[in-house]
Amino acid sequence: KVPYLDVTLYAESEDPKKHFTIKELRNLPKDELIKLVRERFAKSATGEPRALVVIHGYNNGFDDALYRTAQIAYDLKYDGVPFLYSWPSGGGITSYPYDRESAQQSEQYLSKFLQVVLDETGARNVSIIAHSMGNQPLLQVLRDLRITNPTASARINQVILAAPDVDRDNFEYLAGQIKGVARGVTMYASSNDVALSVSRRFAGGVPRAGDVPVDLGPSVVAGVDTIDVSALSTEYLALNHSNYAEKTPLIQDIGNVLLTGERPPDRRFPILQRITSDKGDYWRYPK
């Protein structure tokens, strides 16, 4: 299916040998969920109870978001428990206004979800990846969490903000508010993200934080490592595919961030170019 358009170019039956498929879908009482999570932690090769929370973006229904979370965990060879927080997206190219309202209204539920992961599962190392519109509720939740529950926020390892669909000025304010909420915060910005191009039109051309306007460059904020991935694409995190994918440079760097947290970014991934701007340094994948 062509991303963001209801056009199918090719279709085949699901095959678990080639595709991610949903084996079982059921509601779990919280205590049963936590029991399963702790059983998974006990099987960790490192012995460290690690959790990864993925928050999808605009135009991602539940199944699509579930497949993408499985894809990320598989490609990262993630030795921990992956969680998906799925806010109710309309799952269509025309659903942007609905999705924007829905993402904002999900803030209180995302807060409760993260509190469970941080305080009740036994996870000692929690990282978060948010894509596109999923960054809107996350930034608000992280701001409140840093103030109300600093003990929990101290267990947040890495926060990855992929092409955040957030007003640029508001993002720079919120980024200052969440400073110190995690061991590291990384933003991947892109000039060719399809969801952001839709967002700009609805916002009257106002730049988004995850965009890289020709006249402005990427948003650079103290405490956030900004990486311009325009030479690649952030669409890896959004494509509605269930096929296994190759390990791209973007997923390689995400893996390095989660595993080592090494900074500055060009130390962990030498191909990144350091760019100096009037607001500070940022990094860029070479074309």
Side-chain angles (χ1 to χ4, degrees):
K1 180 177 288 187
V2 178
Y4 306 100
L5 298 176
D6 190 20
V7 177
T8 300
L9 301 180
Y10 175 76
E12 62 178 320
S13 300
E14 286 186 343
D15 180 353
K17 295 180 180 179
K18 296 193 296 181
H19 309 121
F20 290 106
T21 60
I22 298 175
K23 182 178 179 181
E24 182 183 17
L25 188 64
R26 60 189 172 103
N27 291 323
L28 291 175
K30 186 170 68 172
D31 58 349
E32 187 176 345
L33 170 66
I34 290 173
K35 179 176 180 289
L36 290 173
V37 169
R38 291 181 175 176
E39 288 174 356
R40 178 74 69 86
F41 284 154
K43 298 176 182 177
S44 168
T46 63
E48 182 181 28
R50 302 169 65 218
L52 175 65
V53 178
V54 177
I55 307 168
H56 66 80
Y58 153 68
N59 187 25
N60 275 155
F62 177 77
D63 286 9
D64 296 328
L66 193 62
Y67 291 138
R68 185 51 55 202
T69 302
Q71 179 83 71
I72 291 169
Y74 178 86
D75 287 349
L76 291 175
K77 295 180 174 58
Y78 188 72
D79 182 30
V81 177
F83 290 88
L84 163 66
Y85 178 76
S86 179
W87 52 272
S89 165
I93 185 68
T94 60
S95 66
Y96 186 87
Y98 172 86
D99 279 15
R100 181 172 56 192
E101 295 296 319
S102 183
Q104 292 171 354
Q105 292 172 14
S106 72
E107 180 183 326
Q108 60 179 308
Y109 305 105
L110 173 59
S111 178
K112 292 177 182 177
F113 184 83
L114 284 179
Q115 294 282 4
V116 170
V117 175
L118 288 163
D119 293 333
E120 300 186 48
T121 64
R124 308 306 303 172
N125 178 320
V126 178
S127 293
I128 304 169
I129 299 176
H131 179 247
S132 179
M133 198 175 284
N135 285 274
Q136 292 187 15
L138 176 64
L139 289 170
Q140 301 287 349
V141 168
L142 290 178
R143 180 189 62 178
D144 295 342
L145 183 66
R146 188 181 69 84
I147 297 171
T148 61
N149 196 341
T151 302
S153 66
R155 292 196 297 279
I156 300 179
N157 179 26
Q158 302 295 323
V159 174
I160 294 175
L161 313 173
D165 182 5
V166 180
D167 175 88
R168 184 171 172 133
D169 290 338
N170 190 39
F171 172 82
E172 293 180 358
Y173 167 75
L174 289 172
Q177 297 290 301
I178 68 169
K179 190 173 182 179
V181 76
R183 296 187 185 100
V185 179
T186 302
M187 180 177 74
Y188 293 105
S190 174
S191 63
N192 53 27
D193 186 274
V194 178
L196 289 183
S197 67
V198 174
S199 177
R200 280 196 305 273
R201 290 197 292 272
F202 276 98
V206 176
R208 316 310 285 168
D211 199 1
V212 186
V214 175
D215 56 334
L216 296 175
S219 180
V220 178
V221 185
V224 177
D225 290 335
T226 296
I227 302 176
D228 180 358
V229 298
S230 298
L232 306 174
S233 174
T234 55
E235 290 304 293
Y236 169 87
L237 297 167
L239 286 176
N240 302 332
H241 288 175
S242 62
N243 294 62
Y244 296 104
E246 295 180 359
K247 197 168 186 180
T248 66
L250 176 59
I251 201 67
Q252 284 181 308
D253 190 44
I254 290 175
N256 289 339
V257 171
L258 298 182
L259 184 63
T260 71
E262 187 174 18
R263 287 175 163 77
D266 50 343
R267 287 184 59 186
R268 67 171 182 263
F269 213 51
I271 69 169
L272 291 172
Q273 301 172 338
R274 183 191 291 260
I275 309 297
T276 299
S277 74
D278 56 354
K279 288 190 175 183
D281 290 352
Y282 67 94
W283 289 262
R284 183 172 63 196
Y285 278 90
K287 295 181 179 180

